[in-house]
Amino acid sequence: MSEPLFDKVAVVGLGLIGSSIARGIEERGLAASIAGFDGSDDVRARARALGFCDLIADTPQDAVKDAELVVLAVPVGAMASAAKSIAPHLAGGAIVTDVGSVKAAVIRGVGDELPAHAVFVPGHPVAGTEHSGPEAGFADLFEGRWCVLTPCERSTEAAVGKVTALWTALGSTVETMTPEHHDIVLAITSHIPHLIAYNIVGTAADLEDVTQSEVIKFSAGGFRDFTRIAASDPVMWRDVFLNNKDAVLEVLGRFSEDLAALQRMIRWDDGQSLQDHFTRTRAIRRGIIDAGQDTPDADFGRPHGHED
């Protein structure tokens, strides 16, 4: 870009998402300066060594001082406390945004803590990997991905425009929806799949007649992909499920009903119904590929680990 979108951006939380945002801003020249803060002494030290921020502050106060934009990139359950820690130190008119995958609960928690002079634009970049920590971040994480903004009473049109411009510059396509709609959509597209992954991996580990070595040795594509998802940050996902409880339980109930229907098809040898169901869901998978959200490469292009 010819000139930065912001004079100073502060990123609070320097894990995968926060460090990727900082790297993306730095690489694209979207801010004149970038400050970072993390509550962990160890993470701050590692972030300093990696050098993706101009300043890694030792306090939230130093990180957000004079910042035009503050990005809260902490687990959903820590959003309100993070907002409380920066609230007294925000510049007049500062824009606060977040990256939480739950929106209604975050809006309530963060909105209660921010001062009247701050603007809040809730957001959620729908991107990530199973890895965590500042070393896991990379500047192109958001390329070709969606970012959902859920403006609230604390938002302004100008601030939404600035945050939209940031995510667009980071390579994302921005969609706007209500917090409640976001939470039900993400429950089915992200939260429940992660819950199922954690559960199936736990079930396999608990089976007494299958040893751990056999589970690992014979991990074909399906189970291998479940274990990839289940390797995600436990703290982050604990907070997601507790803070999006209503939507998750609603979708989980529907999933349980559909699973029971499949169970009946198998029990009663209803092959035609099974084939019809698999045909319909296969078409949905193809739609995801056509939308550019995945690749048709076998096993997502990953090697199996046993090639010569």
Side-chain angles (χ1 to χ4, degrees):
M1 296 186 64
S2 56
E3 59 182 61
L5 282 171
F6 300 95
D7 183 34
K8 178 182 176 181
V9 172
V11 181
V12 178
L14 299 175
L16 167 67
I17 300 297
S19 67
S20 294
I21 291 170
R23 286 178 168 96
I25 291 172
E26 178 189 40
E27 183 175 284
R28 294 163 177 79
L30 303 178
S33 67
I34 311 166
F37 172 77
D38 195 280
S40 165
D41 294 343
D42 178 59
V43 169
R44 292 199 303 275
R46 287 151 56 197
R48 285 193 184 98
L50 291 165
F52 52 76
C53 287
D54 299 298
L55 167 70
I56 300 296
D58 285 320
T59 66
Q61 176 180 355
D62 291 338
V64 305
K65 182 181 179 182
D66 298 324
E68 291 180 60
L69 177 71
V70 177
V71 182
L72 300 180
V74 299
V76 169
M79 286 289 181
S81 61
K84 184 176 182 178
S85 72
I86 66 170
H89 316 295
L90 292 171
I95 301 170
V96 177
T97 190
D98 78 293
V99 300
S101 67
V102 179
K103 295 272 65 83
V106 166
I107 288 171
R108 289 193 299 269
V110 172
D112 287 344
E113 300 296 346
L114 294 180
H117 65 260
V119 181
F120 182 36
V121 181
H124 174 210
V126 187
T129 74
E130 69 271 29
H131 303 296
S132 58
E135 297 85 1
F138 54 99
D140 294 332
L141 176 62
F142 311 106
E143 283 283 350
R145 301 301 179 185
W146 290 95
C147 181
V148 180
L149 300 184
T150 60
C152 62
E153 293 180 354
R154 300 294 302 269
S155 307
T156 66
E157 185 176 346
V160 171
K162 292 275 280 187
V163 175
T164 298
L166 172 69
W167 285 111
T168 301
L170 290 174
S172 296
T173 301
V174 178
E175 178 96 358
T176 300
M177 59 181 68
T178 67
E180 293 76 19
H181 186 65
H182 166 277
D183 287 354
I184 196 73
V185 168
L186 268 293
I188 186 59
T189 60
S190 177
H191 303 167
I192 293 300
H194 277 82
L195 191 68
I196 294 168
Y198 280 117
N199 190 62
I200 193 64
V201 173
T203 298
D206 290 341
L207 285 173
E208 294 182 359
D209 58 340
V210 178
T211 68
Q212 185 178 6
S213 62
E214 287 175 328
V215 170
I216 294 172
K217 180 178 179 180
F218 297 111
S219 291
F223 188 75
R224 190 181 67 241
D225 290 334
F226 271 127
T227 61
R228 180 183 64 83
I229 297 174
S232 301
D233 184 358
V235 173
M236 180 185 77
W237 283 103
R238 175 202 66 191
D239 288 355
V240 165
F241 292 121
L242 294 179
N243 284 276
N244 199 25
K245 180 188 299 184
D246 292 342
V248 165
L249 291 176
E250 173 66 26
V251 175
L252 190 59
R254 176 64 179 266
F255 174 80
S256 299
E257 293 170 2
D258 292 343
L259 190 62
L262 284 171
Q263 185 178 17
R264 286 193 298 273
M265 294 175 198
I266 296 169
R267 184 182 302 279
W268 297 107
D269 297 319
D270 189 353
Q272 187 59 55
S273 293
L274 284 170
Q275 182 176 336
D276 291 345
H277 181 80
F278 298 155
T279 299
R280 180 172 65 87
T281 55
R282 184 187 189 193
I284 294 171
R285 167 63 185 170
R286 288 175 172 172
I288 292 171
I289 295 171
D290 292 342
Q293 294 302 300
D294 206 343
T295 168
D297 294 343
D299 294 315
F300 307 98
R302 291 193 299 278
H304 287 267
H306 61 264
E307 285 84 357
D308 293 331

